[in-house]
Amino acid sequence: MLHCCYLSDRSGFVESITIPESVSEHPDLYELVIDVEVNDRVNKFVTGPDRIGHIVVTSKTSREAEKLALELAGKVNIVIQRPWIR
């Protein structure tokens, strides 16, 4: 198993969250957790509590798991709107 975190590179508000079925239904997806909802305020990642979610996958090797986790994580789209735009 491999664990990968979702981090925000900016502070702001969650505008949208899109999780494709190819991710949510992937046979090697063990867990996908998004800790925020649309309109929630998020902070630019500095420490652990700033994390906005995580994904856990299984695979035959750690290298394959890492590749799959990054691939699936890259398909999840969390749009953060800067606070002054709101």
Side-chain angles (χ1 to χ4, degrees):
M1 268 193 240
L2 187 101
H3 178 261
C4 181
C5 294
Y6 288 101
L7 314 172
S8 179
D9 63 351
R10 70 181 80 170
S11 294
F13 292 89
V14 178
E15 183 176 296
S16 65
I17 301 170
T18 306
I19 303 170
E21 192 172 303
S22 63
V23 173
S24 62
E25 299 299 323
H26 196 283
D28 292 327
L29 176 67
Y30 180 78
E31 181 176 59
L32 172 62
V33 176
I34 304 297
D35 297 317
V36 295
E37 295 179 4
V38 172
N39 295 321
D40 282 357
R41 176 151 176 67
V42 297
N43 296 317
K44 177 180 178 179
F45 182 79
V46 177
T47 62
D50 296 326
R51 180 183 65 111
I52 59 176
H54 68 267
I55 188 169
V56 180
V57 301
T58 60
S59 194
K60 293 177 184 171
T61 68
S62 60
R63 187 177 302 257
E64 288 175 4
E66 180 179 14
K67 181 180 176 187
L68 178 60
L70 292 172
E71 175 188 326
L72 295 181
K75 292 179 180 180
V76 174
N77 189 22
I78 302 172
V79 177
I80 308 298
Q81 185 179 69
R82 296 193 185 273
W84 59 83
I85 294 174
R86 226 172 127 81

